[in-house]
Amino acid sequence: MATVVLTSDFLTSYGRFESRIKKSVDQLMDKVRRLSFAELNAAKGTHLESYKGSRDPKARTLRVDDNHRLIAMDLGDNDRLLFVRVSTHDDADRWMRRNEFR
């Protein structure tokens, strides 16, 4: 089971989306809390993965739906994920290329 940690940026980005996206994020969060990192990596539809071209090797993305991604930071203990923001796929790509965690 993974522990989910939320940032204030995550809550702000989450609050901007319509209820359909929020529901998908909520379902994803429940899935993350129920599964181990290994199970999340193998789970269909979740796609917990590093992002090729990311500025930060700790950055991960999770699939919310066909056009939305959740950006997370792997805290390095195979137990906790820091949820940073929810974005459209294209915005998540840009964010991952330009930002790093500090």
Side-chain angles (χ1 to χ4, degrees):
M1 298 174 87
T3 301
V4 174
V5 182
L6 306 176
T7 66
S8 59
D9 286 345
F10 170 81
L11 294 173
T12 299
S13 66
Y14 174 87
R16 292 182 181 140
F17 286 100
E18 67 266 13
S19 61
R20 175 184 64 84
I21 301 301
K22 289 178 183 177
K23 183 177 179 180
S24 294
V25 170
D26 293 345
Q27 290 169 345
L28 178 60
M29 194 178 311
D30 285 340
K31 191 174 199 178
V32 168
R33 288 193 307 239
R34 284 185 280 115
L35 301 177
S36 68
F37 270 44
E39 292 169 324
L40 286 169
N41 286 326
K44 280 192 166 194
T46 305
H47 301 277
L48 172 64
E49 56 195 12
S50 300
Y51 181 82
K52 190 175 183 176
S54 173
R55 281 189 77 170
D56 196 316
K58 299 177 296 281
R60 302 288 183 268
T61 60
L62 294 121
R63 184 175 188 259
V64 174
D65 66 12
D66 288 340
N67 190 40
H68 294 87
R69 299 290 180 269
L70 191 149
I71 297 171
M73 177 181 163
D74 179 353
L75 295 176
D77 57 8
N78 287 328
D79 180 51
R80 295 175 298 155
L81 276 175
L82 179 69
F83 282 13
V84 178
R85 69 184 305 126
V86 178
S87 300
T88 63
H89 189 278
D90 292 343
D91 287 342
D93 286 348
R94 280 188 291 279
W95 194 96
M96 295 290 273
R97 286 191 308 270
R98 296 177 181 165
N99 294 281
E100 60 186 303
F101 301 112
R102 297 186 191 256

